[in-house]
Amino acid sequence: MLAPGFGIRGKWEGIMAAGVGPQGSLIILWAGEDPVLHSTLLEELESAGIPYVDKRTGDSQEAPQADILPIDWKARFGFEVAVASSSLAAAEAILEKLLDQEPVDMELVAEDEGAPAAAAPAHLSEATRAVWTGSGGEAERAEFLREALKENEIPVRVEVQGSATTLYVPPEEETLAREIIREIVEGAPPA
């Protein structure tokens, strides 16, 4: 008997439609979500003359339940391929061969060459605007602020003169850098 929801493909189409089945019961050979492995497995089974039953997971003929929190133990997508128990050994050999193969290397499409490149960050020599100055005991705070600005992709130049440490940024980044520093130093949210 064919399990509910199984679509019949391969050499069993006519046989199962007539109600006459092969000797043995149906056993699930493979279930998964890989469409490439699924189609390759079906091709190999057909070329070896092994009849199979192919079912898409989630295509069940069962009536939907009235459960308001439907927690299903089965995946709602994927594939299941079953074979007769008499053909199981040969089908498993085919599946094993396919699973042992290295995955096909898929190449990603290159980005459009004509697309504008992201604006390159200014060079540190262009960091001329002083955005923070601290006294000698604030070396750790200066390092923290420098890292925070770098995290926001703002180039930072640090100068130490005597006991004073000053952070410099490029002119176009001054407003954003001052806002970030204000948020950190004063613990104030963005304005």
Side-chain angles (χ1 to χ4, degrees), residues 128-186:
T128 58
R129 300 289 174 100
V131 291
W132 183 83
T133 301
S135 60
E138 295 187 294
E140 286 182 14
R141 179 176 272 187
E143 180 61 24
F144 184 81
L145 292 173
R146 182 181 76 79
E147 288 298 320
L149 293 173
K150 282 178 59 178
E151 180 77 22
N152 286 281
E153 299 180 3
I154 299 175
V156 181
R157 181 170 53 90
V158 179
E159 271 189 19
V160 179
Q161 294 178 340
S163 64
T165 303
T166 306
L167 301 179
Y168 294 92
V169 298
E172 64 272 9
E173 302 287 355
E174 181 180 10
T175 305
L176 179 59
R178 286 188 184 279
E179 182 65 25
I180 292 169
I181 290 171
R182 185 184 70 74
E183 289 177 33
I184 294 170
V185 172
E186 296 175 9

Side-chain angles (χ1 to χ4, degrees), residues 28-34 37 41 55 57 78-82 95:
I28 293 181
L29 171 67
W30 175 82
E33 301 170 0
D34 185 348
L37 179 59
L41 177 60
K55 175 188 178 230
T57 307
F79 311 96
E80 291 179 354
V81 177
L95 179 61

Side-chain angles (χ1 to χ4, degrees), residues 30-53:
W30 175 82
E33 301 170 0
D34 185 348
V36 174
L37 179 59
H38 174 251
S39 62
T40 306
L41 177 60
L42 296 183
E43 290 171 7
E44 292 290 323
L45 290 173
E46 279 189 25
S47 67
I50 299 173
Y52 61 88
V53 176

